[in-house]
Tab-separated table of all heavy atoms in Angstrom:
chain	number	residue	atom	x	y	z
A	5	VAL	N	-13.423	3.417	-0.457
A	5	VAL	CA	-12.071	2.846	-0.725
A	5	VAL	C	-11.000	3.872	-0.362
A	5	VAL	O	-11.129	5.022	-0.747
A	5	VAL	CB	-11.974	2.383	-2.144
A	5	VAL	CG1	-10.558	1.683	-2.367
A	5	VAL	CG2	-13.065	1.541	-2.574
A	16	LYS	N	-1.668	6.431	4.639
A	16	LYS	CA	-2.925	5.789	4.576
A	16	LYS	C	-3.513	5.212	5.847
A	16	LYS	O	-4.676	5.253	6.055
A	16	LYS	CB	-2.922	4.664	3.490
A	16	LYS	CG	-2.722	5.053	2.037
A	16	LYS	CD	-2.803	3.883	1.093
A	16	LYS	CE	-1.884	2.752	1.429
A	16	LYS	NZ	-0.466	3.111	1.321
A	55	VAL	N	-3.107	-7.265	8.684
A	55	VAL	CA	-4.326	-7.069	9.487
A	55	VAL	C	-4.858	-5.657	9.289
A	55	VAL	O	-4.156	-4.636	9.439
A	55	VAL	CB	-4.055	-7.316	10.934
A	55	VAL	CG1	-5.273	-7.033	11.888
A	55	VAL	CG2	-3.552	-8.709	11.181
A	120	VAL	N	20.109	-10.388	-9.440
A	120	VAL	CA	19.758	-9.355	-10.490
A	120	VAL	C	20.435	-8.028	-10.199
A	120	VAL	O	20.234	-7.560	-9.062
A	120	VAL	CB	18.304	-9.263	-10.706
A	120	VAL	CG1	18.009	-8.127	-11.737
A	120	VAL	CG2	17.670	-10.572	-11.150
A	142	ARG	N	-1.754	-20.382	-11.977
A	142	ARG	CA	-2.669	-21.459	-11.490
A	142	ARG	C	-1.955	-22.626	-10.815
A	142	ARG	O	-2.339	-23.778	-10.961
A	142	ARG	CB	-3.589	-21.896	-12.638
A	142	ARG	CG	-4.369	-20.785	-13.246
A	142	ARG	CD	-5.234	-21.259	-14.391
A	142	ARG	NE	-4.458	-21.624	-15.524
A	142	ARG	CZ	-3.890	-20.807	-16.453
A	142	ARG	NH1	-4.105	-19.449	-16.278
A	142	ARG	NH2	-3.179	-21.244	-17.409
A	202	PHE	N	-14.924	-19.693	6.284
A	202	PHE	CA	-15.523	-20.441	5.199
A	202	PHE	C	-16.897	-19.937	4.860
A	202	PHE	O	-17.374	-20.170	3.780
A	202	PHE	CB	-15.518	-21.939	5.470
A	202	PHE	CG	-14.180	-22.561	5.426
A	202	PHE	CD1	-13.435	-22.801	6.702
A	202	PHE	CD2	-13.547	-22.862	4.338
A	202	PHE	CE1	-12.187	-23.456	6.648
A	202	PHE	CE2	-12.263	-23.425	4.254
A	202	PHE	CZ	-11.588	-23.652	5.483
A	364	HIS	N	11.956	8.149	-18.493
A	364	HIS	CA	11.898	9.147	-17.433
A	364	HIS	C	13.191	9.650	-17.040
A	364	HIS	O	13.274	10.707	-16.500
A	364	HIS	CB	11.147	8.513	-16.218
A	364	HIS	CG	9.683	8.421	-16.369
A	364	HIS	ND1	8.862	8.618	-15.284
A	364	HIS	CD2	8.902	8.291	-17.417
A	364	HIS	CE1	7.600	8.493	-15.730
A	364	HIS	NE2	7.600	8.288	-16.996
Side-chain angles (χ1 to χ4, degrees):
V5 184
K16 290 187 303 300
V55 176
V120 176
R142 301 177 294 280
F202 289 100
H364 282 212

